[in-house]
Amino acid sequence: DSGVTQTPKHLITATGQRVTLRCSPRSGDLSVYWYQQSLDQGLQFLIQYYNGEERAKGNILERFSAQQFPDLHSELNLSSLELGDSALYFCASSPIRGTEAFFGQGTRLTVV
Amino acid sequence: GQSLEQPSEVTAVEGAIVQINCTYQTSGFYGLSWYQQHDGGAPTFLSYNALDGLEETGRFSSFLSRSDSYGYLLLQELQMKDSASYFCAVRDDKIIFGKGTRLHILP
């Protein structure tokens, strides 16, 4: 158990809909990262938050947004969903400048 | 921007040694990490190199050459449970992953 909790584990929704994925980082970790992993693909960096502030942005679509709350949990919002958004979405956390990122078990999103 | 290159697949025999290479281009660099991911699972941390040289952790070792923007992961005494995907990742403020190397192990 990495200490990072993601909910829900599975999500099936229709095209055009909006979903929210939730992540609770390890206790004490201020950095949260979101990644998208499509079938047989690598981990595509979406966005990073540090202590409530956006720190870095990757290849995140404009239809996607995220935030980190004062209690350090983070949410990834995906809207106007398309079939191609079907993927595993991972959240990871680390201490500041930590060498290791701890991953949650992921949310498998299926858009039908 | 950042990019990392690693082979898409590697095959080795149980009990043997295998090396997975990674080259990177990055604007910022604190170090190179390696992660393992089994099918359907989450990535798990294996090693981190901030300085040139070899780091050893049990059967796994990782090497970094900052001047060559190159690193590798060495897995010794391969076991069937080592069948997984292995990702190198560049660490600056964020963590950028390569596309991963799928390791197949033959009995």
Side-chain angles (χ1 to χ4, degrees), chain A residues 58-69:
Chain A
N59 299 322
I60 187 166
L61 300 172
E62 285 192 13
R63 301 183 285 109
F64 295 1
S65 65
Q67 55 185 325
Q68 187 179 28
F69 295 86

Side-chain angles (χ1 to χ4, degrees), chain B residues 4-35:
Chain B
L4 297 95
E5 295 289 332
Q6 52 181 127
S8 58
E9 288 187 276
V10 171
T11 300
V13 178
E14 189 177 15
I17 299 173
V18 71
Q19 178 174 313
I20 300 173
N21 298 319
C22 174
T23 58
Y24 59 88
Q25 284 186 312
T26 180
S27 51
F29 184 83
Y30 297 156
L32 188 72
S33 304
W34 289 91
Y35 288 77

Side-chain angles (χ1 to χ4, degrees), chain B residues 26-80:
Chain B
T26 180
S27 51
F29 184 83
Y30 297 156
L32 188 72
S33 304
W34 289 91
Y35 288 77
Q36 179 192 60
Q37 184 181 30
H38 286 98
D39 285 346
T44 56
F45 174 83
L46 291 177
S47 68
Y48 177 78
N49 295 69
L51 303 175
D52 286 0
L54 192 67
E55 295 280 343
E56 298 182 62
T57 309
R59 295 187 296 113
F60 294 0
S61 304
S62 57
F63 171 83
L64 175 65
S65 168
R66 294 175 70 118
S67 60
D68 294 324
S69 297
Y70 164 75
Y72 66 73
L73 179 70
L74 192 73
L75 296 83
Q76 303 181 76
E77 300 172 18
L78 284 171
Q79 302 175 9
M80 297 304 292

Side-chain angles (χ1 to χ4, degrees), chain A residues 33 35 37 40-43 45 48 55-56 88 90 94-95 97-101 103-105 108, chain B residues 30 33 35 37 40-45 47-48 87 91-100 102:
Chain A
Y33 312 82
Y35 293 88
Q37 186 173 40
D40 291 333
Q41 294 294 308
L43 291 150
F45 171 68
Q48 179 199 359
R55 188 68 174 251
L88 256 176
F90 284 105
S94 76
R97 303 275 162 90
T99 60
E100 178 176 355
F103 280 78
Q105 288 303 306
R108 182 171 294 282
Chain B
Y30 297 156
S33 304
Y35 288 77
Q37 184 181 30
T44 56
F45 174 83
S47 68
Y48 177 78
F87 295 87
R91 183 70 156 111
D92 57 20
D93 280 341
K94 55 191 179 294
I95 307 172
I96 302 298
F97 286 80
K99 291 191 185 304
R102 183 171 288 271

